[in-house]
Amino acid sequence: MSDVATGATPSGAAPKRQAPLLNIANVLTAVRIALVPVFVAALIVSDGTHQGWLLATAALFLIASITDYWDGWIARARDLVTPFGAIADPIADKALTGAALIGLSAYDLLPWWVTVIILVREWGITALRFGVLRHGVIPASRGGKLKTLLQVIAIIWYLCPITGPIDWIGAILMGAAFVLTVVTGADYVVQAVALRRKGRAAGEPAE
């Protein structure tokens, strides 16, 4: 029989299994996307002042953020990476974070300039990473992962109706997240430029 008929590659190795579109990692990503409008609705109902609803929004944001960790871990551990997940996962992350930051600024809980700079960085770097895929993949750095963790903790802190002598902790957390957001964003730009130059040096056609 031919290699095609037996399902083997010319080198004798079995072809790489294609992960199914409907898998647990993609389901978690879809759940996170679905939670975004629910989170926004709860934040609107809270009016930025109702303690019960603010706690509900914090809980929703935490749950959605946890699915972000688990879907990525499961996709890698079980080899369930799909084109849908690769595209939908970062979009879901940015939509959730963006909705939270915009909501906080809309209710005067966070300065608008912080929200604008973070969102420009997040969406800009996401577009940049997609734009250089033909040259190579820019992996998430430790700084980028720490930035994401700090953003999540800071946003949850701001959503919780915490007042009194410890309310300054939120500003420290958000400040640290902001600095890491900017620094890691600059690092990704440097990596993207290096990838493009490497690709052109290897003879890849210019875009």
Side-chain angles (χ1 to χ4, degrees):
M1 290 186 182
S2 67
D3 290 334
V4 174
T6 58
T9 61
S11 63
K16 182 177 176 61
R17 180 181 65 87
Q18 179 67 42
L21 176 62
L22 184 59
N23 62 63
I24 184 62
N26 285 348
V27 168
L28 287 173
T29 299
V31 168
R32 187 159 72 261
I33 294 173
L35 283 176
V36 173
V38 178
F39 166 81
V40 171
L43 187 56
I44 292 174
V45 172
S46 77
D47 197 32
T49 58
H50 191 285
Q51 292 190 359
W53 279 104
L54 282 174
L55 287 173
T57 62
L60 285 169
F61 187 85
L62 176 60
I63 292 170
S65 298
I66 290 174
T67 67
D68 178 30
Y69 169 79
W70 280 110
D71 66 4
W73 183 85
I74 291 172
R76 292 187 296 272
R78 299 187 180 183
D79 195 19
L80 296 176
V81 177
T82 64
F84 169 82
I87 295 174
D89 183 69
I91 291 176
D93 298 343
K94 303 311 180 267
L96 178 66
T97 302
L101 292 173
I102 291 173
L104 289 173
S105 293
Y107 290 116
D108 295 324
L109 300 174
L110 183 69
W112 272 109
W113 65 267
V114 174
T115 292
V116 170
I117 292 176
I118 291 179
L119 292 187
V120 168
R121 182 275 189 202
E122 295 291 355
W123 285 103
I125 295 302
T126 298
L128 183 65
R129 293 174 78 170
F130 280 125
V132 299
L133 275 178
R134 65 192 300 268
H135 301 292
V137 176
I138 302 178
S141 64
R142 289 184 179 181
K145 293 177 181 178
L146 178 59
K147 174 269 302 180
T148 300
L149 177 61
L150 283 175
Q151 282 184 358
V152 169
I153 296 174
I155 288 172
I156 291 175
W157 185 280
Y158 270 79
L159 288 171
C160 291
I162 298 174
T163 57
I166 63 171
D167 59 359
W168 56 269
I169 294 177
I172 297 297
L173 289 170
M174 186 60 75
F178 178 84
V179 170
L180 271 177
T181 298
V182 174
V183 171
T184 56
D187 180 58
Y188 283 133
V189 170
V190 171
Q191 292 187 61
V193 171
L195 272 178
R196 288 174 62 90
R197 289 177 177 173
K198 183 179 179 180
R200 290 178 179 177
E204 293 181 5
E207 296 178 359

